[in-house]
Amino acid sequence: MEKIEKESHLLKSGNNYPYQKSILWKFFEKSGPKWEKRYIKQRYNKLLLDRKICHPLKCNKERETEEKKMDDENQSYIYIRPLLGLAEHYEFLLQDEAPFRKAIIKVKSVNPKPNMIERIQSPIIYKIIENDIFICFRKKEYLENLKGKQFKFNLSFKNLDYKEEFDLKPPPDGLKVPENFDVELLYEYLLKYYPNLGPDMNVKKLNQYCIYGSSK
């Protein structure tokens, strides 16, 4: 299970130590807009200056200059992490703070009912049977329904004296999940990065994409 969690985190969010980009972001990187993680850090850093809040986010020292560099005002952003599951909030560690002090980014759908979305399970399903791991993808319609959906972000702090919630001010219509991408190509791209995927794998395309990793 630890291995599965590690790979899932790399696919969705990337790693800070050692630094590795999110595999999901690599798929969209050349499309032009930047992703929501960059957007959140940009809005957070601006809030620090505007409100004189002295709690910068913890960042990778090798990328500190890049992470603190402000984007052009016309820079556009997309929201991609819901494509591998949407939680109610994200947590960011604060620099030089105790581990229990964190920035909490709450996610809220801005689509009116019945298109409002609160939580989404990952389209990737792991099944462990004896010593084998099955990696299955839900039918592509599962992600097709997410295309173009809009979300906004609010900031609060955990175990700090700030009780107020701060609006991170997305575009008027919210930050959008990309609309123009091929779900099947995305699935195939993600599958390439599983470490056990190799010439001895038995790859089957059924109603779902199933990858069978035999330990024998």
Side-chain angles (χ1 to χ4, degrees), residues 14-175:
N15 289 324
N16 280 329
Y17 306 99
Y19 178 76
Q20 291 176 281
K21 284 189 176 182
S22 156
I23 304 306
L24 179 63
W25 170 234
K26 286 183 178 181
F27 179 80
F28 288 98
E29 189 172 14
K30 295 180 181 180
S31 64
K34 297 183 178 180
W35 68 325
E36 75 285 339
K37 193 171 182 180
R38 177 74 179 183
Y39 158 82
I40 289 170
K41 290 184 175 182
Q42 288 281 304
R43 294 299 187 271
Y44 185 94
N45 290 338
K46 187 175 187 306
L47 184 70
L48 294 187
L49 295 175
D50 293 345
R51 298 297 185 99
K52 296 181 172 57
I53 297 174
C54 302
H55 296 286
L57 297 177
K58 187 174 183 179
C59 63
N60 186 298
K61 292 298 181 182
E62 295 179 0
R63 292 182 49 80
E64 186 172 6
T65 301
E66 175 61 26
E67 292 197 5
K68 291 184 177 180
K69 179 182 177 182
M70 298 303 293
D71 291 340
D72 185 275
E73 290 185 1
N74 296 321
Q75 176 64 52
S76 57
Y77 303 89
I78 51 177
Y79 188 26
I80 61 174
R81 276 196 279 188
L83 297 173
L84 291 183
L86 174 66
E88 294 177 340
H89 70 272
Y90 304 119
E91 297 185 357
F92 289 82
L93 293 175
L94 302 179
Q95 184 174 304
D96 300 326
E97 298 283 2
F100 52 83
R101 291 181 174 178
K102 299 177 182 179
I104 308 298
I105 308 298
K106 296 181 180 178
V107 183
K108 185 176 181 180
S109 172
V110 298
N111 293 93
K113 294 182 178 180
N115 294 318
M116 184 176 290
I117 296 175
E118 294 182 355
R119 297 195 69 179
I120 305 162
Q121 292 183 336
S122 173
I124 305 176
I125 304 169
Y126 299 91
K127 295 184 181 293
I128 301 176
I129 302 176
E130 295 181 352
N131 292 322
D132 296 325
I133 299 175
F134 291 79
I135 305 170
C136 307
F137 282 69
R138 299 177 191 270
K139 294 180 181 180
K140 67 178 184 178
E141 287 77 14
Y142 187 77
L143 291 190
E144 293 286 352
N145 293 329
L146 272 176
K147 290 183 175 181
K149 294 296 188 292
Q150 303 159 326
F151 297 84
K152 68 176 184 178
F153 305 87
N154 287 344
L155 163 71
S156 61
F157 291 97
K158 184 176 181 179
N159 294 316
L160 285 173
D161 292 334
Y162 299 96
K163 304 302 180 185
E164 180 183 357
E165 275 199 5
F166 303 94
D167 184 356
L168 291 188
K169 300 185 182 302
D173 55 352
L175 217 60

Side-chain angles (χ1 to χ4, degrees), residues 4-19:
I4 289 175
E5 289 179 3
K6 181 178 179 181
E7 294 302 325
S8 296
H9 192 270
L10 176 59
L11 288 178
K12 187 174 182 178
S13 303
N15 289 324
N16 280 329
Y17 306 99
Y19 178 76

